[in-house]
Amino acid sequence: MVTSRLGHQWKHPKSSVFDIIYPIRKTKEDFYRYTESLASMDPPKSNPVTRNRKGSKLSVIRNTEPHAFVIPVKRIHEEHDVPSFLTSKAYSDIMTFLLQLNVSMFPCYIQDPVTKQKKIQTWELGSPGVSFSNTVVKLRGLLQELETFIDQVPLDTGPRRFGNAAFKTWYRLVEDRVQQLLVDHLPADVLSVDGTSDISAKDELISYLLGSFGSSQRLDYGSGHELSFLAFLGCIWKLGGFEASDSGEEERGIVLGVVEPYLHLIRRLIKTYTLEPAGSHGVWGLDDHSFIPYIFGSAQYGTPMAVSDQTPTEGSCPSAPDPASITKPQAVARERGQNLYFGAIGFIYDVKKGAFWEHSPMLYDISGIQSGWAKINKGMIKMYNAEVLSKFPVVQHFPFGSLFSWEHDPSAPPPPQSAHTANHPSNTASTDHPTLRNPLPEITQAPWSHTPTPAPRHSNAATAAPWAPQSSANTASNGLIPTRAPWSAKSASSEKTEHRR
């Protein structure tokens, strides 16, 4: 029996909190194996997250013939469209690019030029061992110019309930200048890829870039907007804007030179204009706004690997801090300037008060994993698939064009249907969705809690929290379930005893 830091228990001796949050059932095994092996050179039957630095990468479109660009449009209109997304070429490309960036951030073994001995090279923020290509330098300039727009847009002093309305002005300023921004901060050959119509590569890039900074209508920001920025970078890769290398040098430049400044810009937007979390799970979510810094940051502390090694799934770099140190403000202050994971934790400390285990219980539970940062990294990839790419509220606004296509991926197995998808009414009949497996019914609950027995359905049943224990002893003879606090530990027998007294 294993007990997590918050007292949750499970039996498997090698389990972690990720195995409890997202248990891989036999009906889901093929799908998750496919999800995590998209960027692997190994066949799907092998370790699901194995890939090396020379593994398959996001493809680049050929310049030998014109490309048919299209304006990206919304395709996910309801819950039942999510399975089609999970079997699309866009999903495959997103996972390939994410894993491609992720593996590049693991420490690696290099030979000391003087002593000829093998040593470990890590990739901290600002590491002198990471060089930036011309495209990365230009994108850094783009993010810096966007940050200067904040200084040009003062806060709205009028009454407000949530975010500051001045963010709408900032967003309109970006919209008005986005065409020239791309011309100024992208290589000319990226924007000049031949097309078959008046629609150009710039039109597709604009859709993803403008979707990367939050919603000007709802005044919020979340992992769906972060996904849009990942797609923006993926589009530049597919257009040949980045320099490919087997060592992962360009990918590291993207993460440390572009993703990190992007996160800095987003955090300043959130704090300046008090943007709300988009689709937050509250305390039961990993983070109110971001996800990818936890993936790349855990990789920074992972087990060192050679170029030909498979991605480690357990262990840590010898110099890595203990995962439990995220609860120590001094350790967070020391590490946040050189690690993306601790940078995200540091931002939580900036915007939230109180005990860490109270406002971030999931991160607190994860910090108790004993198998190392590589294990956390593997679990974060699983969680990203389950909590970002597989959730309708997150991906519903993602647009699909020619670079990230809605077209079905012929190599994708049909994904398992979640209970939420199965219970969501469909307004329109769809004939192009893959055949889905029928899952067991589930109840909305904290994701690591044990699945309770569903309460019997009665037409006049009283409202009770889904995790409240139910039994024949506490059910009235007329079929009504008494309303009581779900954490009440009193049994029927103890209640009778008190009544007699």
Side-chain angles (χ1 to χ4, degrees):
M1 182 71 68
V2 180
T3 304
S4 73
R5 305 192 72 189
L6 290 181
H8 310 120
Q9 294 184 334
W10 58 94
K11 294 182 179 180
H12 197 286
K14 294 185 179 180
S15 296
S16 72
V17 65
F18 295 111
D19 300 312
I20 305 310
I21 297 174
Y22 304 110
I24 301 178
R25 302 175 183 171
K26 291 182 178 179
T27 57
K28 298 184 179 181
E29 186 176 2
D30 292 338
F31 176 61
Y32 281 118
R33 185 179 293 126
Y34 165 77
T35 297
E36 296 173 329
S37 64
L38 282 170
S40 174
M41 294 183 65
D42 300 317
K45 64 181 181 180
S46 63
N47 190 325
V49 293
T50 56
R51 80 177 290 260
N52 54 41
R53 297 188 196 276
K54 292 184 179 180
S56 60
K57 300 184 179 185
L58 192 61
S59 61
V60 177
I61 63 174
R62 294 175 297 176
N63 289 327
T64 56
E65 54 187 24
H67 182 79
F69 293 105
V70 297
I71 299 294
V73 296
K74 177 184 174 74
R75 294 282 190 175
I76 303 176
H77 299 284
E78 58 181 20
E79 186 78 33
H80 291 270
D81 292 326
V82 175
S84 294
F85 165 60
L86 296 177
T87 56
S88 69
K89 291 183 177 180
Y91 172 83
S92 175
D93 287 342
I94 289 168
M95 285 303 302
T96 297
F97 191 52
L98 178 69
L99 295 178
Q100 177 182 335
L101 298 178
N102 177 67
V103 72
S104 72
M105 295 308 300
F106 274 83
C108 68
Y109 290 109
I110 62 173
Q111 187 180 52
D112 189 288
V114 178
T115 64
K116 305 299 182 183
Q117 294 181 348
K118 185 171 65 174
K119 68 175 185 179
I120 297 174
Q121 174 69 61
T122 56
W123 314 111
E124 297 91 358
L125 300 177
S127 172
V130 178
S131 61
F132 297 151
S133 66
N134 178 55
T135 303
V136 170
V137 172
K138 283 180 172 291
L139 289 172
R140 288 170 64 85
L142 168 64
L143 295 170
Q144 290 170 2
E145 185 168 350
L146 290 173
E147 191 165 357
T148 64
F149 291 177
I150 300 177
D151 301 324
Q152 302 175 31
V153 181
L155 295 178
D156 189 343
T157 58
R160 60 189 175 91
R161 182 180 179 185
F162 298 114
N164 195 289
F167 178 70
K168 298 181 180 181
T169 305
W170 181 91
Y171 193 88
R172 284 196 299 269
L173 188 61
V174 177
E175 283 183 315
D176 294 341
R177 302 185 185 180
V178 66
Q179 295 270 356
Q180 190 60 41
L181 285 171
L182 291 182
V183 172
D184 294 342
H185 298 289
L186 279 180
D189 55 350
V190 171
L191 301 178
S192 61
V193 176
D194 291 335
T196 59
S197 66
D198 293 337
I199 302 173
S200 65
K202 186 191 298 184
D203 296 313
E204 294 208 27
L205 289 168
I206 287 174
S207 296
Y208 295 110
L209 181 62
L210 291 178
S212 303
F213 308 111
S215 170
S216 60
Q217 288 76 34
R218 299 182 301 274
L219 302 179
D220 62 11
Y221 175 88
S223 53
H225 304 107
E226 182 184 68
L227 172 63
S228 187
F229 188 74
L230 184 67
F232 171 71
L233 296 178
C235 287
I236 298 174
W237 184 282
K238 299 190 79 168
L239 291 168
F242 293 110
E243 302 172 4
S245 66
D246 291 338
S247 63
E249 182 177 358
E250 185 73 349
E251 288 87 343
R252 281 189 291 274
I254 294 172
V255 174
L256 300 179
V258 183
V259 173
E260 193 277 332
Y262 163 75
L263 294 171
H264 176 78
L265 168 64
I266 291 302
R267 289 164 187 163
R268 187 177 174 192
L269 286 172
I270 292 171
K271 294 176 71 173
T272 301
Y273 301 115
T274 59
L275 300 183
E276 290 291 307
S280 172
H281 292 282
V283 298
W284 300 125
L286 182 74
D287 187 289
D288 283 344
H289 301 99
S290 298
F291 204 112
I292 59 175
Y294 297 100
I295 296 177
F296 300 146
S298 57
Q300 285 178 279
Y301 288 141
T303 306
M305 57 182 290
V307 174
S308 58
D309 289 345
Q310 302 296 342
T311 306
T313 57
E314 289 189 354
S316 299
C317 182
S319 61
D322 189 334
S325 61
I326 66 170
T327 61
K328 303 174 183 178
Q330 298 85 353
V332 174
R334 182 185 69 247
E335 298 291 331
R336 66 184 298 180
Q338 54 190 355
N339 179 266
L340 289 164
Y341 194 105
F342 275 81
I345 296 294
F347 183 67
I348 292 178
Y349 276 103
D350 292 342
V351 298
K352 293 187 178 182
K353 306 300 179 184
F356 189 84
W357 65 268
E358 289 184 336
H359 58 63
S360 303
M362 185 175 290
L363 285 167
Y364 183 83
D365 242 6
I366 292 170
S367 70
I369 291 178
Q370 302 297 316
S371 300
W373 286 101
K375 178 73 171 181
I376 293 176
N377 179 259
K378 174 185 175 181
M380 285 295 177
I381 294 173
K382 286 184 181 181
M383 194 186 296
Y384 188 78
N385 173 72
E387 287 299 291
V388 177
L389 299 182
S390 300
K391 289 299 175 68
F392 171 73
V394 179
V395 298
Q396 62 174 320
H397 301 295
F398 187 85
F400 298 84
S402 67
L403 299 176
F404 283 92
S405 171
W406 181 253
E407 184 180 346
H408 178 71
D409 181 3
S411 64
Q417 186 179 19
S418 68
H420 186 61
T421 303
N423 295 330
H424 194 282
S426 176
N427 297 326
T428 57
S430 178
T431 59
D432 58 348
H433 290 165
T435 303
L436 303 177
R437 300 183 178 94
N438 292 322
L440 294 174
E442 298 179 7
I443 297 179
T444 303
Q445 56 182 340
W448 50 79
S449 63
H450 297 288
T451 304
T453 303
R457 296 185 179 273
H458 301 283
S459 60
N460 55 353
T463 302
W467 53 81
Q470 305 293 346
S471 65
S472 58
N474 62 6
T475 304
S477 58
N478 62 357
L480 286 174
I481 303 172
T483 301
R484 57 187 294 183
W487 52 83
S488 173
K490 291 184 178 181
S491 63
S493 59
S494 63
E495 291 173 356
K496 291 180 180 179
T497 302
E498 291 186 6
H499 180 70
R500 290 171 183 170
R501 291 178 183 175

